[in-house]
Amino acid sequence: MTSSAAAVGIVALLVVPFTLTATAIASDPPPVVSREARIKDISSIEGIRDNQLVGYGIVVGLQGTGDSQQTTFPVQTLTSTLLRMGVSVPAASIRIQNLAAVFVAATLPPFAKPGTKLDITVSSAGDARSLEGGLLLMTPLYGADGKIYAQAQGPLVVGGYSVSVNGNIKQFNHPNTARVPLGAMVERGVPLELAGRKEFSLLLNDADFRSAEAMQKAINLELGRDAARVVDSRQIDLLVTNGEDIPALLAQVESVEVPIYPRAKVVVNERTGTVVIGGTVVLQPVSILHGGLAVNVVSEFQVSQPNAFSSGGTTQVVQQTRIDAQDKPVNRIELKQGATVDDLVRSLQTIGASARDVISILQAMKSAGALEAEVEVL
């Protein structure tokens, strides 16, 4: 006997905004919450930025956990490497599993000079089972312009392992990705001259006109002159006077603390059921009715045999279907004037709402105008 089951969940959600009385309408609006932050933590200087580097190389010294023979490009890479060293070996004659083709990634920080060492991340590009115990051979790292900016080489540090015995495999973390601390050396820096510049642009991480205005006033107050000018909600221009020490000026500006006004936001990840609600989210009076109807369809397959000594009978498979329905009672939540996010969370926990239910309720509250925040769905 075999059976199959299918469950269908139907959620009933009703969001009803309250009608405010004259007293509620006349109440003072909630104060705008701000916090202090350093300019260097909420903005960046245009042009002073990191640059991504990437390269392709091979890892050797693996204990039979490298790429298999079905992956041809590691063997081709090894053949080219040996040829550059004066050793000519036909690719068809190479039969080894102690090497793996990898991609190498690194970040080139601003003002990096030749000789500066960088951390690198190495990831397998083939079907290698583990990079544990491997050595990355010299690999050039390229920038977006196709030029070589660093060279990488060194033993790998793997944060996991993979063991296979007689078809049984035990794996911990991700053994196909490793790091080499200070494994790359910069060969070419990105030129960036500060001397002689008359203007810099500060770029806010989160565009906001009020935060930009607050930053402008704080900078001008700190420097004692009109050095900052707001261009838009993200950019603030900083003027440099003749003969001014630019590194000292930027250090002074980045250390200034300014009030910022973060945007009210609710972040929802529907894949994992994670909901993050910011503390600046404002809730309006609302009544929420939440219930659900669960329908479970179960199919059982039974085998019908003909009677003994009967003629002409055949064995048949008969499907028996049973439908079970369960209607959950409607739960009610009331959020009055002045309710906070903590009140909402506590109320949802009280009625036993799951993460999926919370996501549906928040989206319905946004549609009903009871949630004054931006809902971002990941």
Side-chain angles (χ1 to χ4, degrees):
M1 178 185 299
T2 61
S3 65
S4 62
V8 180
I10 304 174
V11 177
L13 179 61
L14 177 62
V15 179
V16 182
F18 281 168
T19 301
L20 300 181
T21 61
T23 304
I25 295 177
S27 60
D28 296 333
V32 178
V33 180
S34 66
R35 58 183 177 87
E36 297 284 335
R38 294 180 303 176
I39 290 180
K40 67 183 302 181
D41 296 329
I42 61 173
S43 66
S44 60
I45 302 175
E46 185 178 11
I48 302 179
R49 43 158 287 184
D50 296 333
N51 289 274
Q52 303 298 323
L53 305 179
V54 66
Y56 169 80
I58 57 175
V59 171
V60 298
L62 304 178
Q63 192 175 0
T65 60
D67 294 329
S68 63
Q69 296 298 324
Q70 284 74 19
T71 308
T72 59
F73 54 88
V75 178
Q76 297 174 355
T77 305
L78 178 61
T79 304
S80 301
T81 303
L82 293 176
L83 187 61
R84 289 196 303 267
M85 295 181 177
V87 181
S88 179
V89 179
S93 63
I94 298 178
R95 294 289 185 271
I96 54 177
Q97 290 186 339
N98 292 338
L99 65 85
V102 295
F103 279 101
V104 183
T107 300
L108 182 67
F111 307 112
K113 305 298 181 182
T116 304
K117 293 187 176 182
L118 311 174
D119 295 338
I120 60 174
T121 302
V122 181
S123 299
S124 172
D127 57 356
R129 298 194 306 273
S130 175
L131 299 179
E132 184 179 6
L135 172 68
L136 174 68
L137 296 185
M138 184 174 292
T139 303
L141 301 181
Y142 299 87
D145 55 359
K147 297 180 180 179
I148 298 177
Y149 285 89
Q151 294 282 353
Q153 181 172 280
L156 306 184
V157 178
V158 182
Y161 62 85
S162 178
V163 180
S164 177
V165 178
N166 297 328
N168 298 321
I169 300 176
K170 180 176 178 57
Q171 178 175 321
F172 177 75
N173 286 343
H174 301 280
N176 290 338
T177 300
R179 287 183 61 83
V180 182
L182 305 180
M185 183 174 295
V186 176
E187 301 292 342
R188 179 208 308 263
V190 178
L192 180 60
E193 294 292 336
L194 297 181
R197 294 189 58 172
K198 301 299 182 182
E199 185 179 84
F200 290 90
S201 294
L202 301 176
L203 304 179
L204 283 171
N205 298 335
D206 297 322
D208 181 69
F209 280 105
R210 190 168 186 179
S211 298
E213 289 289 341
M215 183 182 296
Q216 175 197 8
K217 294 179 182 179
I219 293 175
N220 293 338
L221 181 62
E222 176 70 19
L223 300 180
R225 57 185 177 88
D226 293 335
R229 177 177 59 89
V230 176
V231 177
D232 51 37
S233 62
R234 186 178 295 274
Q235 179 178 347
I236 300 96
D237 287 344
L238 178 65
L239 302 178
V240 181
T241 59
N242 294 330
E244 191 167 13
D245 188 351
I246 294 180
L249 172 65
L250 296 180
Q252 183 180 4
V253 169
E254 286 186 334
S255 63
V256 176
E257 293 188 354
V258 298
I260 62 173
Y261 305 88
R263 180 173 300 176
K265 181 179 290 187
V266 177
V267 180
V268 174
N269 191 330
E270 291 189 326
R271 295 186 299 272
T272 61
T274 303
V275 180
V276 179
I277 305 175
T280 57
V281 175
V282 177
L283 304 177
Q284 295 297 334
V286 67
S287 179
I288 302 173
L289 301 180
H290 180 72
L293 174 64
V295 180
N296 191 27
V297 181
V298 180
S299 297
E300 296 181 351
F301 295 89
Q302 299 178 352
V303 179
S304 177
Q305 298 281 3
N307 295 328
F309 306 108
S310 63
S311 60
T314 60
T315 302
Q316 298 290 333
V317 177
V318 181
Q319 179 179 354
Q320 302 290 339
T321 302
R322 184 179 75 254
I323 300 178
D324 298 329
Q326 182 180 3
D327 193 5
K328 299 180 181 179
V330 175
N331 298 303
R332 181 177 181 181
I333 300 175
E334 289 187 6
L335 298 178
K336 300 182 179 180
Q337 184 73 18
T340 63
V341 175
D342 184 63
D343 297 333
L344 173 62
V345 173
R346 291 179 182 273
S347 300
L348 294 176
Q349 290 178 342
T350 301
I351 66 173
S354 64
R356 305 293 179 184
D357 297 335
V358 173
I359 293 174
S360 301
I361 291 172
L362 291 175
Q363 292 176 340
M365 290 178 63
K366 177 65 176 179
S367 301
L371 180 65
E372 296 181 1
E374 174 186 355
V375 179
E376 180 180 349
V377 180
L378 301 180

